[in-house]
Structure formats: structure tokens, C-alpha cells
């Protein structure tokens, strides 16, 4: 039965890949060189990878800038791929592109994103909007909702935040994040760092580290000073990693969640 235009068709390959055609116009650049200009991209999800990548028809890729990789990296992606080095802007970017072995994706090429891997194409656009880190997942939602719930945050028994005017950020696949007004956070107990991260849904975050005693991960506190539209309500507010602090919500102590971030939150020091 044919699908209606508003329905989505996610397909599975024998290799365990999920893929879905996209209607978005996608372009990828290395510096000033446009390497990809595609109106027929495909979103691909690899097993155990929580975010998708794009794969593009060869005819919409500057294949003249690709050469078979001199030092391929088998195992980085699903299946026995062919890897390519990219020659652009006077640079050779090793393993910047690859193909999946799936028959469904024959004739398609995928690329690394610089801000995710530290190599690959460094500017990506969906229509006329620049996007970062990885493609946005059409099956993922980000909702930032003002609330009057009572949120209290403790670190090693010290109350570091207490508010009844949080913004709750609900993001598919992650625990609820509690964004708090600065006036309701003991920011004097933290010091700013030069760490930053990017998110295709929220923007670029700045971070603070705990100044007190105890084994507390660095960069435990963050804020989006200029968030993207889906998260505009959290502008300038502060959030903690639920994975490493104690949060009490309306009088109920929440269990610390286990997430992909848990293993990266290693204690910084003990005083």
C-alpha cells in the first residue's frame, strides 16, 4: 500500500541499519568548498548509535575530491565499508567519507561531521539553516516548558539551587533537564571553564565547575546563552547533570539516571 505524503517510511537492512529518505535540501562544505549538494539525502541510523547520519547519492557528491583511503579505519561504522580521503582546500582529510555495505544504500556516500569527530566537513546546512554536530532526528522532540514545580539541587549535601520557577526541558531519549534562574542558583560555588559543547537542537553551551569539596565531575553546570528556537525558553538559565547531582522534585528525591553521558562524568578532584 503506498504511503501518504505525511507518513514516514523507516526501513531496515540485514546489517541492522535503519534508513529513511529525507525531503530536506542538504549541503556540506569543507571551508569554502561545497562537497555535497543534495536534494535526495537519506538518514541512516547505525546500531547502538543514538543519532543519525546522512548518506547521499553519488551524483550529488563531489566525488572528484575523493580518493580511496590510504589508512582505512575498519570497525568505525557498521559493516565492511569503503573509506575515502577527502582532498579539499589544500588539505587531505583521512577517512572523511565512507559507504555502507547495505544493498539498499548502494550508490550512497556518508561523511564525517567535524564538530562530532574532529574531522570531516565543517559546515552543514538544511535548507538555509546551518546545523551542527549531527543531523536532526525527525523522530526526536525537544520541548522547553516553563513550570512552577519545586526543584532543589544538592551536591554532597550542600543545597546549590532552589527554585519554584524552573523550565523543564523534555528531550526524547534523555532524562528531563531542569533549567533554573541564575538568581536561584548558588553560582558563587562554581567557577566558569573554557569548555563548550554544541547541540543541533539547543545550540552552544557554556559550563561551570564545582569549587567545593568532594569528588564532583568537572563542567557539572551549563547554560545556553543564545539557544536555538526549539529551546528558546532556556536562554540564560542554568542546568545540572542529573547523573551526578541530587535533585528533589516537589519533595521527592529523584534517582540519578544512567545515560550516555554517565561514563564521561568522571570526578575532577578531591580536596
Amino acid at each position: 500500500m503506498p504511503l501518504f505524503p505525511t507518513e514516514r517510511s523507516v526501513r531496515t537492512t540485514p546489517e541492522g541499519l535503519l534508513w529513511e529518505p529525507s525531503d530536506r535540501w542538504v549541503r556540506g562544505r569543507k571551508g569554502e568548498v561545497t562537497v555535497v549538494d543534495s536534494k535526495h539525502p537519506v538518514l541512516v541510523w547505525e546500531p547502538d548509535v543514538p543519532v543519525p547520519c546522512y548518506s547521499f547519492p553519488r551524483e550529488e557528491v563531489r566525488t572528484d575530491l575523493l580518493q580511496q583511503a590510504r589508512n582505512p579505519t575498519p570497525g568505525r561504522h557498521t559493516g565492511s565499508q569503503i573509506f575515502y580521503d577527502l582532498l579539499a582546500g589544500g588539505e587531505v582529510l583521512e577517512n572523511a567519507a565512507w559507504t555502507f555495505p547495505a544493498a539498499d544504500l548502494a550508490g550512497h556516500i556518508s561523511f564525517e561531521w567535524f564538530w562530532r569527530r574532529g574531522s570531516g566537513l565543517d559546515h552543514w546546512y538544511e535548507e538555509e539553516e546551518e546545523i551542527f554536530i549531527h543531523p536532526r532526528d525527525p523522530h526526536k522532540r525537544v520541548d522547553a516548558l516553563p513550570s512552577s514545580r519545586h526543584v532543589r539541587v544538592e551536591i554532597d549535601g550542600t543545597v546549590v539551587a532552589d527554585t519554584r520557577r524552573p523550565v523543564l526541558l523534555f528531550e526524547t531519549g534523555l532524562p528531563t533537564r531542569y533549567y533554573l534562574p541564575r538568581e536561584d542558583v548558588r553560582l558563587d560555588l562554581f567557577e566558569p571553564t573554557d569548555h563548550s559543547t554544541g547541540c543541533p537542537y539547543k545550540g552552544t553551551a557554556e559550563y561551570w565547575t564545582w569549587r567545593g569539596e568532594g569528588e564532583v565531575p568537572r563542567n557539572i553546570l551549563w547554560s545556553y546563552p543564545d539557544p536555538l528556537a526549539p529551546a528558546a525558553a532556556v536562554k540564560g538559565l542554568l542546568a545540572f547533570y542529573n547523573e551526578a547531582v541530587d535533585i528533589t522534585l516537589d519533595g521527592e528525591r529523584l534517582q540519578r539516571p544512567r545515560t550516555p553521558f554517565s561514563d564521561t562524568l568522571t570526578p575532577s578532584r578531591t580536596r
Side-chain angles (χ1 to χ4, degrees), residues 49-207:
V49 179
V51 298
C53 68
Y54 273 124
S55 200
F56 307 98
R58 278 182 175 271
E59 56 269 24
E60 297 180 339
V61 172
R62 285 283 306 274
T63 54
D64 59 302
L65 301 177
L66 300 178
Q67 64 181 22
Q68 197 151 340
R70 293 175 295 180
N71 301 297
T73 54
R76 175 179 286 189
H77 297 286
T78 301
S80 302
Q81 314 85 11
I82 298 174
F83 285 89
Y84 297 95
D85 296 337
L86 172 67
L87 288 70
E91 294 183 66
V92 177
L93 302 178
E94 292 193 344
N95 301 298
W98 75 94
T99 61
F100 287 111
D104 287 359
L105 299 174
H108 287 68
I109 299 175
S110 296
F111 287 83
E112 300 290 5
W113 289 42
F114 177 83
W115 295 109
R116 186 173 176 210
R117 290 279 191 181
S119 64
L121 305 190
D122 47 18
H123 293 283
W124 287 94
Y125 300 86
E126 291 179 346
E127 302 300 331
E128 298 300 331
E129 182 176 351
E130 186 168 9
I131 55 175
F132 306 92
I133 313 302
H134 60 78
R136 293 169 179 163
D137 189 328
H139 304 284
K140 187 169 188 175
R141 285 184 62 97
V142 175
D143 295 301
L145 304 180
S147 176
S148 59
R149 302 184 74 173
H150 184 197
V151 178
R152 188 179 67 200
V153 183
E154 298 177 46
I155 294 179
D156 282 345
T158 299
V159 176
V160 296
D162 194 312
T163 190
R164 292 182 182 272
R165 46 184 186 149
V167 171
L168 275 57
L169 190 136
F170 302 92
E171 184 171 354
T172 306
L174 290 174
T176 304
R177 300 298 190 189
Y178 302 93
Y179 283 80
L180 317 175
R182 294 190 179 217
E183 311 89 83
D184 296 339
V185 177
R186 288 286 310 276
L187 201 54
D188 59 302
L189 299 177
F190 301 85
E191 58 188 25
T193 74
D194 58 3
H195 183 61
S196 68
T197 59
C199 171
Y201 309 101
K202 299 187 290 292
T204 300
E206 58 187 9
Y207 285 79

